[in-house]
Amino acid sequence: MAVYTDISEVELGALLKEYDVGELLSYKGIAEGTENSNYLLHTSRAAFILTLYEQRVERSDLPFFLGLMEHLAQHGVNCPLPVRRNDGAVVSEIAGRPAALITFLEGMWLRKPAPQHCREVGRAMAGMHLAARGFEPTRANALTVGDWRPLWEKAKPRANEVEEELEAEVEADLADLAQGWPADLPTGVIHADLFPDNVFFLGDRVSGIIDFYFACNDLLAYDIATCLNAWCFEKDGSYNLTKGTALLEGYQSVRPLDAAEIKALPLLARGSALRFMLTRLYDWLTVSDGALVNKRDPMEYVRRLRFHRQISSPSEYGIGLK
Amino acid sequence: MAVYTDISEVELGALLKEYDVGELLSYKGIAEGTENSNYLLHTSRAAFILTLYEQRVERSDLPFFLGLMEHLAQHGVNCPLPVRRNDGAVVSEIAGRPAALITFLEGMWLRKPAPQHCREVGRAMAGMHLAARGFEPTRANALTVGDWRPLWEKAKPRANEVEEELEAEVEADLADLAQGWPADLPTGVIHADLFPDNVFFLGDRVSGIIDFYFACNDLLAYDIATCLNAWCFEKDGSYNLTKGTALLEGYQSVRPLDAAEIKALPLLARGSALRFMLTRLYDWLTVSDGALVNKRDPMEYVRRLRFHRQISSPSEYGIGLK
């Protein structure tokens, strides 16, 4: 369930006077996104999403996120287009929070993606990586290898409450990852949170990629690693090789990986699994049960970590070595 | 925040095959309603609401609620129209819950209604009372005078935690109401929960009345009493006579009250305030803080009760005695 800031029809009406979007007909708080409040608006012209940025999003990052969406939308990616205000700006303020109005994308996210959807998301991700190449602003990844140790230190004292021996496992991961993390792979803008709930489908086709609020400049292959974790494991923790193969083939049909990227996949997948395990673990231990922030089980990602540790070759993910 | 049952695009797609509503384009869980889960759907034809009935709604009451909405919509009331399935039924099942698809009404509910809105809601309520006259099924009010004592007995042992002396106040109310409750006033179908969040406006006009899940057969003037409580008090607990006058005038412009109804208003308003105080008190004391059910402060209604107790004439609500 989303964090939720209520807004009145009076303040929303006043805000919409700053835009050329027609007359407001309705607005509903929607249960989407875990970091922000979102409203689905109908106006006399079209449907829109109004996002209110809650505390977890830095205001200073908004020009990067919204500028990226605008750039991608203008370069053929199906993603929301931020609507410019009459004064040219894209960031507004409502209910004491920064906010942006973006176009509404039809489509459904898939609770149970099949292999053909994994192929499509691979293709769409590669297309996004290519389309972002002309985008000039940059943003460092705030949740990459150097950031994991400080996050871990906050969770470590209670980690074994979640799983016996977790502390020792994670310490070993952190050491391996810090030592082996690749530095010379192709970089660019990555989505960094391309989970199924951020990809809409109509039929078997991707109709939209949303929620760019973790986007940053980093290794392109790290985005693939995150997708392998997010799309290709089953509920029981097993890796679905058919889905992984489809995702990697879909990606490579648009942007072939080089040998170094392929070789790095197991370590990147392990790093990405650790990143999501750590943020989940931290929320699990610190967010109260009554809060409206979604708490997700860190154990799902502990199991992925264990899988990636025992990988001896990238081919086990379903990719041919060059 | 609404109770929220997640549904997958696969089960929703299968459900919609039972209806002639076009192709599904999107669906979003919306933060509306306190008793049910609601999704806003876009199809290739129109927007719809899919309501999943959670445990607080009796399945056996659904034909009454949905039949009433259909009757009202066909008799000129702006309310959602239940969409019939291809097999003629209106109740479906999804995610283990009974569900209904209804038309989507544009409009916004007002966080701060002004007197002209109170006049409009009075007019709309009277129109609804008249339009419901040909509706034959009946449903007893499950939360009227005889039901308050059993509800109170469950909350009483801890009532003074909420407010000192509350127990003595409520006991006196219950005695007065049981003794004085009118039996011979005009009856019909009432909404019984016509709070601002159940009435949509476009501009200053009512565009829709929603959420008929407390509707029942009872004294028509009791619906007015509930609206006086819900629309005409300020945040500080004071009664806004201008709003009350407007609401009553709006109602009477469509359906004039008879002398007995006017005379009964203070007692009905007191009874209605007690009814909402009791359900809020019960939830306040029994629902855990982490639950997704909205907990509303019972003290708002304790203050209304105190106001109604000291009324000596219906004219104090803004209505002329005949």
Side-chain angles (χ1 to χ4, degrees):
Chain A
M1 190 66 74
V3 177
Y4 183 58
T5 301
D6 193 36
I7 53 176
S8 77
E9 78 291 351
V10 174
E11 53 191 342
L12 181 55
L15 179 72
L16 291 187
K17 286 206 179 19
E18 308 295 330
Y19 297 86
D20 179 29
V21 291
E23 209 169 324
L24 180 64
L25 297 180
S26 61
Y27 69 104
K28 310 284 180 192
I30 60 173
E32 203 139 294
T34 51
E35 307 283 328
N36 301 312
S37 296
N38 287 291
Y39 285 89
L40 169 50
L41 277 55
H42 290 173
T43 78
S44 49
R45 296 239 196 101
F48 298 91
I49 296 283
L50 179 73
T51 301
L52 277 63
Y53 300 99
E54 305 289 345
Q55 55 183 4
R56 287 191 176 201
V57 173
E58 291 285 342
R59 192 184 190 118
S60 58
D61 283 334
L62 290 178
F64 177 87
F65 299 142
L66 294 165
L68 174 64
M69 288 155 72
E70 190 174 41
H71 175 93
L72 292 175
Q74 287 165 352
H75 289 79
V77 175
N78 290 328
C79 71
L81 176 65
V83 181
R84 289 194 174 269
R85 294 159 49 103
N86 299 327
D87 64 9
V90 289
V91 181
S92 286
E93 181 149 333
I94 189 166
R97 285 159 180 76
L101 190 68
I102 59 178
T103 55
F104 179 80
L105 295 181
E106 301 289 358
M108 277 80 68
W109 70 266
L110 306 177
R111 272 66 176 173
K112 290 185 185 168
Q116 71 267 30
H117 305 121
C118 296
R119 182 179 307 273
E120 284 302 304
V121 80
R123 215 193 299 266
M125 175 173 42
M128 181 184 67
H129 287 169
L130 296 183
R133 283 193 297 196
F135 184 63
E136 291 187 357
T138 60
R139 177 178 179 266
N141 189 349
L143 284 167
T144 187
V145 60
D147 309 294
W148 298 334
R149 161 107 18 223
L151 190 54
W152 168 242
E153 294 300 335
K154 292 191 225 169
K156 184 164 75 169
R158 295 178 52 202
N160 286 357
E161 289 175 26
V162 170
E163 174 78 349
E164 231 179 300
E165 316 273 338
L166 185 56
E167 187 177 335
E169 287 186 46
V170 171
E171 286 290 349
D173 285 328
L174 282 169
D176 291 352
L177 292 164
Q179 202 225 317
W181 200 247
D184 51 356
L185 302 181
T187 59
V189 177
I190 66 169
H191 184 284
D193 193 36
L194 205 55
F195 278 63
D197 56 344
N198 288 331
V199 182
F200 294 163
F201 283 80
L202 282 172
D204 283 343
R205 295 286 154 164
V206 171
S207 64
I209 298 178
I210 65 161
D211 208 343
F212 287 81
Y213 304 110
F214 288 96
C216 56
N217 294 76
D218 204 343
L219 311 176
L220 295 176
Y222 181 65
D223 230 8
I224 304 171
T226 296
C227 274
L228 289 173
N229 280 317
W231 291 76
C232 303
F233 284 81
E234 301 302 317
K235 282 255 179 291
D236 65 5
S238 64
Y239 180 72
N240 185 318
L241 185 64
T242 307
K243 292 182 180 175
T245 303
L247 193 146
L248 291 161
E249 280 179 3
Y251 188 92
Q252 295 212 91
S253 72
V254 176
R255 179 186 165 261
L257 296 171
D258 69 27
E261 288 180 294
I262 292 172
K263 186 161 167 261
L265 268 186
L267 202 75
L268 296 175
R270 191 170 156 199
S272 169
L274 183 67
R275 170 256 181 271
F276 287 100
M277 195 285 286
L278 286 174
T279 49
R280 288 180 176 206
L281 179 67
Y282 179 76
D283 282 353
W284 196 262
L285 295 173
T286 60
V287 175
S288 74
D289 284 333
L292 290 171
V293 172
N294 255 338
K295 291 175 68 166
R296 297 174 207 255
D297 188 355
M299 282 308 295
E300 280 184 35
Y301 273 77
V302 171
R303 284 183 209 106
R304 282 164 176 64
L305 271 171
R306 289 174 184 162
F307 174 83
H308 297 308
R309 276 183 214 127
Q310 49 80 42
I311 289 283
S312 58
S313 156
S315 62
E316 292 174 53
Y317 292 111
I319 197 166
L321 283 170
K322 285 185 186 171
Chain B
M1 188 69 71
V3 177
Y4 183 59
T5 300
D6 192 36
I7 54 177
S8 76
E9 77 291 351
V10 174
E11 54 191 341
L12 181 54
L15 179 73
L16 291 187
K17 286 208 177 21
E18 307 295 330
Y19 296 86
D20 179 28
V21 291
E23 208 170 322
L24 180 64
L25 297 180
S26 61
Y27 68 104
K28 311 283 180 191
I30 60 173
E32 203 139 293
T34 50
E35 308 283 329
N36 301 313
S37 296
N38 286 291
Y39 286 89
L40 169 48
L41 276 56
H42 290 174
T43 78
S44 49
R45 298 242 193 98
F48 298 90
I49 295 283
L50 179 72
T51 300
L52 277 63
Y53 300 98
E54 305 289 344
Q55 54 183 2
R56 287 192 177 200
V57 173
E58 290 284 344
R59 191 181 191 121
S60 57
D61 282 334
L62 289 178
F64 177 86
F65 299 142
L66 294 165
L68 174 63
M69 288 156 72
E70 189 174 44
H71 176 94
L72 292 176
Q74 287 165 351
H75 288 78
V77 175
N78 291 327
C79 71
L81 176 67
V83 181
R84 287 194 175 270
R85 293 160 49 104
N86 299 328
D87 64 9
V90 289
V91 181
S92 285
E93 182 149 331
I94 189 167
R97 285 158 180 77
L101 189 69
I102 59 178
T103 55
F104 179 81
L105 296 180
E106 301 288 359
M108 277 80 69
W109 69 266
L110 305 177
R111 273 63 175 174
K112 290 183 185 170
Q116 71 266 30
H117 305 123
C118 295
R119 183 178 307 272
E120 282 303 302
V121 81
R123 213 193 300 265
M125 173 172 44
M128 180 185 67
H129 288 168
L130 296 184
R133 283 192 298 196
F135 183 64
E136 292 188 355
T138 59
R139 176 177 179 267
N141 189 349
L143 284 168
T144 187
V145 61
D147 309 293
W148 298 334
R149 161 99 28 216
L151 190 54
W152 167 242
E153 294 299 335
K154 293 190 225 170
K156 183 163 76 171
R158 295 180 51 204
N160 286 358
E161 291 175 26
V162 171
E163 173 79 349
E164 230 178 302
E165 315 275 338
L166 185 57
E167 185 176 335
E169 286 185 46
V170 171
E171 286 291 347
D173 285 327
L174 283 169
D176 290 352
L177 292 163
Q179 200 225 319
W181 200 248
D184 51 357
L185 301 180
T187 59
V189 177
I190 66 169
H191 184 285
D193 193 36
L194 205 55
F195 278 61
D197 57 342
N198 288 331
V199 182
F200 294 163
F201 283 79
L202 281 172
D204 283 342
R205 296 286 154 163
V206 171
S207 64
I209 297 178
I210 65 161
D211 207 345
F212 287 81
Y213 304 111
F214 288 96
C216 56
N217 295 76
D218 204 342
L219 311 176
L220 296 177
Y222 181 65
D223 231 7
I224 304 171
T226 296
C227 275
L228 289 173
N229 280 317
W231 291 75
C232 303
F233 283 80
E234 300 302 317
K235 282 256 180 286
D236 65 4
S238 64
Y239 181 71
N240 184 319
L241 186 65
T242 307
K243 291 182 181 176
T245 303
L247 193 147
L248 291 160
E249 280 178 5
Y251 188 92
Q252 295 212 92
S253 71
V254 176
R255 179 185 164 262
L257 296 172
D258 68 28
E261 287 179 296
I262 293 173
K263 184 159 169 265
L265 267 187
L267 201 76
L268 296 176
R270 191 170 156 197
S272 168
L274 183 67
R275 170 255 181 271
F276 286 100
M277 195 285 287
L278 286 174
T279 49
R280 288 180 176 206
L281 178 68
Y282 180 76
D283 282 351
W284 196 261
L285 294 173
T286 59
V287 175
S288 74
D289 284 331
L292 290 171
V293 172
N294 256 336
K295 290 174 68 166
R296 298 172 206 254
D297 187 356
M299 282 307 296
E300 280 184 35
Y301 274 78
V302 171
R303 285 184 207 106
R304 282 165 175 64
L305 271 171
R306 288 172 185 164
F307 174 85
H308 298 306
R309 277 183 213 127
Q310 49 79 43
I311 289 284
S312 59
S313 156
S315 63
E316 293 174 52
Y317 292 112
I319 197 167
L321 284 170
K322 288 185 183 170

